[in-house]
Amino acid sequence: MTHHDRLLIIDFGSQVTQLIARRLRELSVYCEIHPFQNVTDAFIAEFKPKAVIFSGGPSSVFADGAPMPPKSVFELGVPILGICYGQQVMMHLLGGKVERGHGTAEFGRTYVTPKDTQLALLEGWFDDDREQVWMSHGDHVSEIAPGFDVYGTSPNAPFAITADTQRKFFAVQFHPEVHHTPNGKKLYENFVRLSGFTGDWTMGAYRDDAIAKIREQVGDKKVICGLSGGVDSSVAAVLIHEAIGDQLTCVFVDHGLLRLNEADEVVSMFRDHYNIPLIHADETDLFLNALEGVSDPETKRKTIGKLFIDVFQKYANEIDGAEFLAQGTLYPDVIESVSFSGGPSVTIKSHHNVGGLPEKMGLKLVEPLRELFKDEVRALGRELGLPDHFIGRHPFPGPGLAIRCPGEITRDKLEILRRADAVYIDQIRKHGLYDDIWQAFVAILPVRTVGVMGDDRTYDYACALRAVTSVDGMTADYFPFSHEFLGETATRIINEVQGINRVTYDITSKPPGTIEWE
Ligand code: XMP
């Protein structure tokens, strides 16, 4: 358990609950999201929150079994902020009234105007007489609970902002955590200040805490870490190494489906630069032989996944006396989602490279990034001295280039793909676009087309460039490169990469497409 001041977010199933946590973490406040079902009296007593936030949610307080917090939360004597459904819950439980929509529903952008600005929560608000906010509610509060006063109204929500200043209970009908409430962060800033948070959640503090915890958990035992070369497992490895030094051994399974020079970079960074004991399991032949003749995407993934586990296990068994397996699990993978909201990140990571291994090998888990969001992992990586260009790398899927090579995989195709991808990424970096893009790569297509080069006719592969913007990989849009950029890149690839004579740009969004080609 962390020693920081803690804020508890009770999740009632809103799609944007994670954004509340993001806003708070940006303010150096430690918070955790827990689904309402888990928040019992005993849980609250143990958690000891310094403040509580009720998230929004899709339910109606009138529904059978409507999500509710335990009443004891109101007796803790700590500030509470209710958002949207959380506001209705508060009014409903504290003696106000909520009514069904009937013409008063509000969705999307609206404006809140002040009724009274003398409220600590509203400091820095209403400088322009009104604030743009994002609403999304069917039911609405028709009578506020005793002790509450109104501080802001919107056209369809006469009780858009209410507060009981005695008890420090605040309730807003809109969502301050979304970008469409441009000044929303200010409300969170005010809320945590009036709750007494000091902003003690810094990466430096986290790193020291995490190191102490790893030492305590592991003692003098050995830890194995599966290194993929990605940001999460790399940061986990460096952190654990700082904590326990050579008690850590990393196993880097090289399936031969990595990008140009990637394996060398990983090995030289970890083994040579960080002096971390590293087993480089170069099993290219094993993987590529097993993939020969396989063109079905699911069969490819399964073949790679199964071999990966076998290989990892084989090398890990060579490490005498290992009792722990380190994983770069992140907070979004851990948050238990309220059943009706679904957990966004869970699906993305469903293919975890070492999934199922800890049980199979009888190893205990070390997961030092469990409390962090992706951008916090990057901040921690910086704190640990990992180079910026490494930390900012685009995500790369476990099955690697196999899913960027539709149809049958051959060594020739992989080599062409690697070189085309390197030129493309070089172009993106040179034009200063890398950090504006969530993910960019080349897919080599299973078609050959006719071209002319000089006086010769060519018959080579076509490739597709892919570049998308995204927040979490769940939805994505294609990146709007300029025609000049695309033209220059196509020319470079065709000139510099033998084997490709046609370049296309994939402008499919997700949905209906996926980011990867398979
Ligand atoms: P899709 O193609 O489903 O990808 O739109 C969404 C994000 O997930 C990554 N991805 C994977 N990551 N193992 C991984 O570790 C996988 O099997 C896998 N498949 C897709 C993909 O690169 C994108 O960032």
Side-chain angles (χ1 to χ4, degrees):
M1 186 193 277
T2 174
H3 304 298
H4 302 278
D5 287 339
R6 293 142 67 83
L7 188 147
L8 171 64
I9 300 170
I10 304 183
D11 186 15
F12 295 115
S14 161
Q15 296 289 334
V16 290
T17 303
Q18 281 203 27
L19 289 181
I20 304 176
R22 291 296 319 117
R23 298 288 92 81
L24 294 169
R25 296 277 182 99
E26 282 160 18
L27 294 166
S28 305
V29 167
Y30 183 82
C31 61
E32 286 183 19
I33 300 174
H34 290 275
F36 70 94
Q37 299 99 321
N38 295 358
V39 181
T40 58
D41 291 339
F43 176 91
I44 289 192
E46 193 188 330
F47 191 95
K48 295 192 185 62
K50 204 176 173 81
V52 178
I53 292 180
F54 295 169
S55 85
S59 300
S60 167
V61 293
F62 302 110
D64 273 351
M68 290 290 155
K71 287 217 170 127
S72 66
V73 73
F74 297 111
E75 277 124 46
L76 288 171
V78 303
I80 303 179
L81 172 64
I83 294 165
C84 195
Y85 176 78
Q87 175 217 33
Q88 295 165 12
V89 162
M90 227 161 158
M91 293 305 151
H92 182 71
L93 293 177
L94 294 175
K97 254 198 194 139
V98 179
E99 280 182 10
R100 292 206 186 267
H102 301 312
T104 54
E106 243 177 335
F107 294 98
R109 179 185 302 125
T110 184
Y111 292 89
V112 177
T113 46
K115 191 113 195 269
D116 179 350
T117 52
Q118 292 308 305
L119 186 68
L121 187 74
L122 297 179
E123 221 167 86
W125 257 49
F126 295 130
D127 291 346
D128 299 328
D129 287 342
R130 64 177 197 170
E131 287 285 348
Q132 181 188 316
V133 299
W134 191 258
M135 293 273 191
S136 177
H137 65 101
D139 297 348
H140 65 280
V141 173
S142 60
E143 201 178 305
I144 49 178
F148 279 78
D149 292 302
V150 184
Y151 291 86
T153 61
S154 78
N156 271 345
F159 305 121
I161 305 172
T162 61
D164 174 339
T165 51
Q166 284 293 315
R167 291 186 284 179
K168 293 195 180 166
F169 292 169
F170 305 89
V172 297
Q173 181 60 75
F174 53 89
H175 287 272
E177 62 277 14
V178 302
H179 286 295
H180 299 87
T181 302
N183 207 8
K185 189 170 171 188
K186 194 81 204 150
L187 286 193
Y188 287 110
E189 212 174 295
N190 292 335
F191 181 68
V192 298
R193 194 193 53 243
L194 68 87
S195 303
F197 285 89
T198 54
D200 59 2
W201 172 253
T202 61
M203 268 311 138
Y206 179 82
R207 163 190 155 151
D208 296 345
D209 267 13
I211 287 177
K213 270 198 249 174
I214 295 165
R215 286 187 183 143
E216 192 186 314
Q217 185 190 1
V218 171
D220 57 2
K221 302 293 187 294
K222 286 190 185 162
V223 180
I224 305 168
C225 179
L227 204 58
S228 69
V231 177
D232 305 341
S233 65
S234 302
V235 171
V238 175
L239 180 68
I240 295 170
H241 189 249
E242 278 218 3
I244 56 165
D246 287 358
Q247 284 163 252
L248 171 74
T249 304
C250 290
V251 177
F252 170 47
V253 176
D254 181 351
H255 48 26
L257 298 158
L258 297 168
R259 291 164 290 188
L260 193 67
N261 300 329
E262 192 164 8
D264 290 345
E265 279 167 21
V266 171
V267 173
S268 78
M269 179 151 92
F270 287 91
R271 193 185 278 163
D272 306 337
H273 181 73
Y274 280 104
N275 288 318
I276 300 180
L278 172 75
I279 298 174
H280 178 193
D282 184 355
E283 294 285 358
T284 303
D285 288 340
L286 181 75
F287 280 87
L288 296 190
N289 291 345
L291 286 167
E292 231 176 80
V294 179
S295 54
D296 173 62
E298 268 314 292
T299 317
K300 276 186 193 174
R301 280 175 177 274
K302 290 208 172 99
T303 308
I304 295 167
K306 186 184 169 306
L307 274 182
F308 193 100
I309 290 186
D310 291 350
V311 168
F312 188 87
Q313 204 169 359
K314 184 178 95 186
Y315 284 88
N317 282 339
E318 290 172 10
I319 303 163
D320 264 351
E323 288 191 16
F324 293 90
L325 180 72
Q327 280 190 347
T329 315
L330 305 192
Y331 192 46
D333 310 325
V334 175
I335 301 173
E336 275 183 77
S337 57
V338 177
S339 55
F340 39 76
S341 77
S345 313
V346 178
T347 359
I348 302 177
K349 291 250 176 154
S350 60
H351 166 112
H352 201 284
N353 291 340
V354 285
L357 256 187
E359 302 83 35
K360 216 170 156 190
M361 297 178 66
L363 295 171
K364 287 170 266 183
L365 279 179
V366 185
E367 297 178 304
L369 312 180
R370 269 178 80 87
E371 289 165 3
L372 303 184
F373 286 97
K374 186 82 180 181
D375 50 338
E376 292 174 316
V377 173
R378 295 200 164 111
L380 179 60
R382 260 176 233 119
E383 186 76 33
L384 291 163
L386 279 153
D388 263 344
H389 73 88
F390 185 83
I391 286 169
R393 291 207 312 176
H394 293 167
F396 186 66
L401 299 181
I403 58 175
R404 296 176 179 178
C405 187
E408 195 177 328
I409 299 165
T410 64
R411 285 167 204 254
D412 282 354
K413 276 199 221 168
L414 285 176
E415 200 44 43
I416 295 169
L417 172 57
R418 270 190 197 105
R419 298 200 301 121
D421 192 75
V423 173
Y424 180 43
I425 299 297
D426 181 57
Q427 276 286 102
I428 289 174
R429 285 202 189 272
K430 277 201 176 122
H431 283 75
L433 300 171
Y434 192 85
D435 293 337
D436 298 337
I437 294 171
W438 161 268
Q439 203 169 0
F441 58 87
V442 174
I444 185 164
L445 305 186
V447 283
R448 296 174 113 187
T449 71
V450 172
V452 279
M453 276 183 107
D455 292 331
D456 289 330
R457 176 182 178 279
T458 57
Y459 186 55
D460 285 333
Y461 287 108
C463 74
L465 310 181
R466 184 81 164 130
V468 295
T469 53
S470 177
V471 182
D472 52 14
M474 291 300 292
T475 58
D477 205 355
Y478 75 91
F479 187 78
F481 286 126
S482 68
H483 285 254
E484 289 72 24
F485 174 90
L486 289 170
E488 192 183 299
T489 307
T491 305
R492 270 196 67 190
I493 291 178
I494 292 168
N495 285 344
E496 294 175 33
V497 182
Q498 209 182 356
I500 288 187
N501 67 355
R502 196 172 292 265
V503 175
T504 65
Y505 186 45
D506 176 358
I507 56 167
T508 319
S509 60
K510 173 183 178 174
T514 53
I515 295 175
E516 301 291 346
W517 271 55
E518 285 191 336

